[in-house]
Amino acid sequence: MGMSKNGNNGRNGNPLRVNGKPFRKVDARAKCTGQTKFADDIVLPRMLFCKILRSHEPHAIIKSIDTSKALALPGVYAVITGKDLPIPYGILPVSQDEHPLCLDKVRFIGDPVAAVAAVDEDTAFDAMNLIEVVYEKLQTITSIEEAVVIDEPRIHDYGDGGNIHKKVQLEFGDLDEGFAEADLVREDVFFYEGNTHLPLEQHAAVAHFDADDKLTLWSSTQTPHYVHRALAKTLKLKASHIRVIATPNGGGFGGKSDPFNHEIAVSKLAMMTGRPVKVTLTREEVFYCHRGRHPVLMKIKTGVKKDGAITAMDFQSFLDGGAYGSYGVASTFYTGALQTVTYEVPRYRFRGTRLFTNKPPCGPKRGHGTPQPRFALEVQLDKIADELGLDPAAMRRQHLLPPDTVTANYLRVGSMGLGKCIDKVVEGSDWKNKYKKSPYGKGFGIACSSYICGAGLPIYWNNMPHSGVQLRLDRQGGVCVQCGSTDIGQGSDSILAYIVAEVLGIDPFDIRIITADTDLTPVDLGSYSSRGTLMTGNAALQAAERARELLTMAVAEKLSVPIENLSFADRRVFDVENPETGVTFAEAVVLAETKFGTIGTVGSYTPPRSPGKFKGAGVGPSPAYSYSAAVAEVDVDPETGIITVPKIWIGHDIGRSINPVLVLGQVEGSVYMGLGEALMEEMIYRANRNAVHKFPSLLEYKSPTTLEMCDVITYLVEDADPNGPFGAKEVGQGPLLPVMPAIANAVYDAVGVRIDEVPMTPEKVLTALRDKAKGREGRFGPKDVPNIEWPEPLKVQTPAEGGDGREMPRVAIHS
């Protein structure tokens, strides 16, 4: 049981009090008791520092934990273990499988076991190492293949049997009929290795429990709303007594989307000690937190006509989920959701499974669940075009999904600018004169992709808005925008300012933005799924339009002009027929406040309902979809296998570019990240050394530097979507997706070998080249997928078959 220094679980210290209540006098013991002198008779609680003891065993039962030596160390204020925080939590309601500190079992090297609060980090570190834990080792499961065949021991006692977390089978249309119509049917197997987010800023959090028994947590998080929920649950506090503030975020990319154990641990320690408690994870610990890209093994069977038109597609995915659920159920569905939104796929089947292994848990990384299947699909389409003797760019262009379409799996697509993206990159790269016409060792490849503009459903299903905005207008002409959204470097704060300023006709610098504070801002679900611009933007748009309406009525009355004649621009409200007749924006606010009282408005956004009504239809729907096309130029050295990428041309359908500079930055950042995933980044473990991470440091984990970064030629295609604010769509994640397959396809054009596995390292290229030289298939990649028993298929008639989005009666089958 966790203990504070004085041997009890109450506070040990003197938090700052208010309303004239007395403070303890400072004495000679102030330094050693963690007090800080504030005034002659006031003592502030000095911040304590937290270190977390993590398991060095990948899979074991905790037999005992002895914290007595740690508690006896001078400067230590509290030590807690899993027994102090017995309530489980998780980001998804279906996967509440984590504890802030492991209760009775550890599931990967790095799993948290105990936490210490002390006067400084060095003392906390020393105390952490004095904690004695006795483990009983269990069998370690390190791969997809092992998780499929090993039923016992189970890593978790829930799921779809053994060490299978989730299995799903969805079928849309008659696949047998589709494959019978095909002139060519291809089956291919691919593997996409896991990798991590690698933000420059590590995870960090500070918690303070004040004299009113209210908790404040400052954290580097993308989802303060969901952290708030997890704290209320695990600490058994009233939600109204918890405040979460997302601090300026030095990179997230999905890695800070979960509620984390260190956030809960410092909160508990702050409650016990009565002092602020801070934790900053080391870089190695960030690798253990992970939640990065799932390793995914995939098998795809596609039937096509002679011109490349798809008649049917059957996709299987096997996800290595690591030790916990995280977003994993959603990740599983995402590996099968978006294959249908780029090209016409009239019949489609998806079978997916996620497995538990004794490795750090995987979750959402930029593009959540979709880069892996997009890699498989786009490389297979390149193989199909090659086998049919077709130009892969022209084949894709010919068979694009039309705009304003409901796909076979019931995703409603609105605007669709992929055709223009293809045209731009084909022309810019001089594709027709370069593809298959370059010297040996130089190649060009193309790939396309799509991504969501925010998830259509919240994590906790309800009918409430996904994003809310409050506006407050003051008499001096300033506007305050309050929103729960989190800026993680993508510019979401400035987007709020631009949209409100555009509607009210003022300068963005006249606007104060307050975001990511659960006490001060209305709920926004967080920075994930590329939802910021569309969802918070629409909420801001609605709030600004309501404020403009109030100002318009007041000014129209004052100037005696028709409401429809008034316009807002250049910090003025004026008559468009007589621009000299008008008032300043500040004067307009005064007039409105005089007429209506204090001027404050609200706006909110809820996505339109999805046409899919079947179980599993909640993953994939979005108010809009962005589109990207990329052409990669590569140089492959046949002697070393080294791939270099001199240039990438990328077109992105942004809908409407609100700030082109920010958009270009996001596109180029996606290309950079895609380059790393394609060529070098991987989360790998030493299977013969207890599944310890092989490279948990920035020194050894390979990621591109400026020297490896390619030139990027970006084309912004504006195909406005009616569901976006001013027609805008996402750009934070979508442009990543075509980069990896475009490079893989370019490698084939350069040296005639297929690398069906990411990352495409020199060793793999050399292996494929040597096999080809010996007369074997010039390919590196997996041969097949495990044979598992899939659940009964959930069958849904497609819209073309007259379906209504509901499932048909199930029929049991086995494979």
Side-chain angles (χ1 to χ4, degrees):
M1 185 175 187
M3 298 290 287
S4 59
K5 188 69 175 181
N6 59 3
N8 61 48
N9 287 314
R11 292 191 193 154
N12 177 29
N14 301 280
L16 178 64
R17 304 302 291 268
V18 294
N19 299 327
K21 293 182 180 179
F23 294 84
R24 182 189 299 175
K25 297 274 189 179
V26 177
D27 59 25
R29 296 171 297 171
K31 183 176 180 181
C32 68
T33 57
Q35 299 166 357
T36 299
K37 187 172 180 179
F38 180 69
D40 289 341
D41 60 348
I42 295 178
V43 171
L44 285 177
R46 197 173 85 179
M47 182 179 291
L48 302 178
F49 295 85
C50 170
K51 282 294 182 181
I52 297 173
L53 178 67
R54 297 180 183 274
S55 170
H56 60 268
E57 296 290 346
H59 198 195
I61 295 171
I62 299 173
K63 302 297 289 184
S64 65
I65 303 178
D66 184 351
T67 64
S68 58
K69 293 180 181 178
L71 275 167
L73 187 69
V76 171
Y77 276 77
V79 180
I80 56 174
T81 65
K83 293 179 181 179
D84 299 291
L85 292 163
I87 300 173
Y89 72 98
I91 184 63
L92 300 185
V94 296
S95 300
Q96 301 281 301
D97 60 0
E98 297 186 60
H99 287 89
L101 300 168
C102 294
L103 199 57
D104 52 13
K105 186 177 181 180
V106 294
R107 295 172 171 87
F108 71 98
I109 291 179
D111 226 357
V113 175
V116 177
V119 293
D120 54 45
E121 281 193 299
D122 289 341
T123 304
F125 183 80
D126 291 340
M128 175 191 77
N129 288 323
L130 291 173
I131 299 171
E132 297 176 355
V133 184
V134 177
Y135 295 103
E136 180 184 313
K137 294 183 180 181
L138 298 172
Q139 182 177 359
T140 302
I141 298 165
T142 62
S143 68
I144 290 170
E145 292 77 10
E146 288 181 358
V148 168
V149 299
I150 298 175
D151 289 335
E152 295 289 342
R154 298 185 72 182
I155 295 174
H156 289 281
D157 58 4
Y158 79 101
D160 287 345
N163 285 297
I164 296 173
H165 180 198
K166 182 66 179 178
K167 289 194 293 187
V168 60
Q169 180 170 195
L170 304 174
E171 189 170 324
F172 307 91
D174 189 333
L175 265 74
D176 292 338
E177 180 183 40
F179 286 123
E181 289 180 4
D183 296 317
L184 171 68
V185 177
R186 275 201 69 97
E187 282 193 73
D188 293 285
V189 183
F190 301 89
F191 179 67
Y192 200 111
E193 183 58 271
N195 49 67
T196 199
H197 314 85
L198 215 68
L200 289 180
E201 179 201 42
Q202 299 121 269
H203 298 254
V206 176
H208 176 52
F209 196 62
D210 66 23
D212 295 324
D213 291 342
K214 292 183 178 179
L215 174 70
T216 301
L217 177 76
W218 295 263
S219 182
S220 178
T221 177
Q222 296 176 230
T223 54
H225 173 67
Y226 292 117
V227 172
H228 188 270
R229 292 184 69 116
L231 292 173
K233 181 184 179 186
T234 56
L235 300 175
K236 295 191 287 187
L237 291 175
K238 292 181 179 179
S240 59
H241 286 201
I242 299 172
R243 180 183 186 185
V244 177
I245 300 171
T247 58
N249 202 305
F253 314 113
K256 298 171 182 175
S257 297
D258 284 71
F260 280 100
N261 48 67
H262 63 270
E263 295 168 320
I264 302 170
V266 293
S267 298
K268 180 66 174 180
L269 289 168
M271 292 172 65
M272 291 174 59
T273 63
R275 305 184 187 280
V277 181
K278 179 180 180 179
V279 62
T280 302
L281 302 191
T282 65
R283 178 60 60 178
E284 184 175 358
E285 287 180 296
V286 174
F287 275 90
Y288 297 141
C289 277
H290 192 37
R291 316 301 160 124
R293 187 85 70 219
H294 283 76
V296 182
L297 180 64
M298 297 161 283
K299 186 173 186 178
I300 178 171
K301 176 182 178 182
T302 304
V304 296
K305 305 295 286 185
K306 291 179 180 179
D307 65 352
I310 297 171
T311 61
M313 184 181 294
D314 187 359
F315 195 94
Q316 297 181 60
S317 63
F318 297 75
L319 291 77
D320 182 340
Y324 290 101
S326 183
Y327 285 83
V329 172
S331 307
T332 304
F333 280 98
Y334 269 124
T335 62
L338 300 189
Q339 282 84 319
T340 60
V341 298
T342 43
Y343 317 106
E344 289 194 82
V345 181
R347 306 166 186 88
Y348 179 62
R349 178 166 64 186
F350 167 60
R351 290 174 283 179
T353 183
R354 184 179 190 264
L355 296 310
F356 287 124
T357 59
N358 294 121
K359 295 186 287 190
C362 300
K365 185 188 174 188
R366 202 173 196 168
H368 187 194
T370 65
Q372 304 97 319
R374 182 56 56 178
F375 173 79
L377 174 57
E378 293 295 321
V379 174
Q380 189 189 55
L381 287 177
D382 203 69
K383 295 181 180 184
I384 288 171
D386 189 59
E387 192 166 345
L388 293 175
L390 301 174
D391 180 303
M395 186 187 80
R396 285 172 168 83
R397 184 72 171 84
Q398 183 180 350
H399 300 296
L400 296 178
L401 186 77
D404 302 314
T405 298
V406 176
T407 66
N409 59 337
Y410 287 87
L411 304 180
R412 182 182 287 112
V413 173
S415 65
M416 207 282 195
L418 183 53
K420 294 178 183 178
C421 294
I422 294 174
D423 294 343
K424 289 287 188 182
V425 298
V426 164
E427 180 183 359
S429 64
D430 195 20
W431 170 265
K432 294 179 181 178
N433 294 317
K434 298 290 181 64
Y435 175 68
K436 286 196 171 181
K437 297 176 182 177
S438 299
Y440 184 76
K442 180 173 284 294
F444 290 77
I446 191 170
C448 302
S449 68
S450 178
Y451 197 64
I452 60 175
C453 298
L457 287 173
I459 291 174
Y460 289 80
W461 287 14
N462 58 68
N463 294 318
M464 292 185 287
H466 292 211
S467 185
V469 166
Q470 291 178 321
L471 256 59
R472 187 179 72 249
L473 282 63
D474 65 52
R475 300 172 186 179
Q476 290 74 40
V479 176
C480 180
V481 180
Q482 295 165 273
C483 180
S485 61
T486 308
D487 197 316
I488 56 173
Q490 83 282 36
S492 61
D493 282 3
S494 60
I495 290 297
L496 291 170
Y498 301 148
I499 288 174
V500 172
E502 179 71 18
V503 173
L504 298 181
I506 57 179
D507 192 285
F509 289 101
D510 296 336
I511 295 175
R512 182 179 298 277
I513 303 293
I514 298 174
T515 54
D517 185 327
T518 59
D519 260 15
L520 302 182
T521 62
V523 168
D524 177 79
L525 298 183
S527 289
Y528 62 92
S529 297
S530 273
R531 56 184 304 282
T533 294
L534 191 140
M535 295 197 180
T536 65
N538 273 322
L541 184 64
Q542 185 181 77
E545 288 175 341
R546 288 172 172 172
R548 185 177 63 183
E549 183 179 353
L550 295 175
L551 270 59
T552 299
M553 288 189 287
V555 173
E557 182 179 286
K558 174 68 175 180
L559 300 180
S560 299
V561 299
I563 287 177
E564 59 271 16
N565 276 24
L566 291 180
S567 182
F568 288 66
D570 298 326
R571 297 191 179 103
R572 294 183 69 242
V573 184
F574 57 89
D575 185 350
V576 293
E577 295 182 358
N578 185 12
E580 294 182 358
T581 301
V583 298
T584 66
F585 180 78
E587 291 170 338
V589 175
V590 170
L591 290 170
E593 187 169 341
T594 301
K595 182 176 178 61
F596 300 110
T598 301
I599 302 300
T601 60
V602 297
S604 59
Y605 179 75
T606 303
R609 289 191 177 275
S610 166
K613 304 297 188 296
F614 55 90
K615 185 178 181 180
V619 175
S622 179
Y625 297 85
S626 72
Y627 290 90
S628 305
V631 168
E633 175 188 359
V634 305
D635 293 317
V636 182
D637 186 338
E639 298 298 321
T640 64
I642 292 175
I643 303 168
T644 55
V645 182
K647 186 177 289 188
I648 286 179
W649 296 261
I650 185 163
H652 183 69
D653 169 21
I654 184 65
R656 177 68 58 82
S657 180
I658 292 177
N659 183 330
V661 175
L662 282 179
V663 172
L664 289 170
Q666 289 293 300
V667 173
E668 292 175 6
S670 289
V671 171
Y672 164 81
M673 188 169 280
L675 193 68
E677 295 195 20
L679 300 181
M680 61 189 75
E681 294 193 36
E682 52 185 342
M683 286 279 285
I684 51 177
Y685 304 84
R686 301 180 189 273
N688 62 339
R689 294 190 185 179
N690 241 5
V692 67
H693 196 294
K694 197 172 184 180
F695 301 128
S697 76
L698 284 175
L699 178 64
E700 297 171 298
Y701 179 90
K702 292 183 176 67
S703 181
T705 68
T706 54
L707 296 177
E708 288 81 37
M709 181 58 181
C710 61
D711 290 337
V712 182
I713 308 299
T714 303
Y715 306 96
L716 300 183
V717 172
E718 293 192 310
D719 185 7
D721 194 287
N723 283 336
F726 303 108
K729 298 196 285 190
E730 76 87 33
V731 68
Q733 304 188 58
L736 166 77
L737 274 62
V739 175
M740 295 75 71
I743 292 173
N745 294 336
V747 169
Y748 178 74
D749 185 47
V751 291
V753 298
R754 292 287 182 186
I755 310 300
D756 292 343
E757 186 172 301
V758 166
M760 293 169 270
T761 60
E763 296 83 358
K764 296 172 185 177
V765 175
L766 281 178
T767 299
L769 286 170
R770 289 166 182 163
D771 285 348
K772 185 180 180 183
K774 295 176 182 178
R776 296 195 288 264
E777 182 184 17
R779 174 186 178 270
F780 188 96
K783 304 298 182 184
D784 208 346
V785 297
N787 183 31
I788 72 169
E789 184 174 321
W790 294 104
E792 297 178 10
L794 188 156
K795 293 189 175 185
V796 183
Q797 286 185 313
T798 67
E801 295 171 333
D804 60 2
R806 292 179 169 82
E807 68 175 288
M808 301 166 60
R810 297 196 183 196
V811 178
I813 64 169
H814 301 283
S815 62

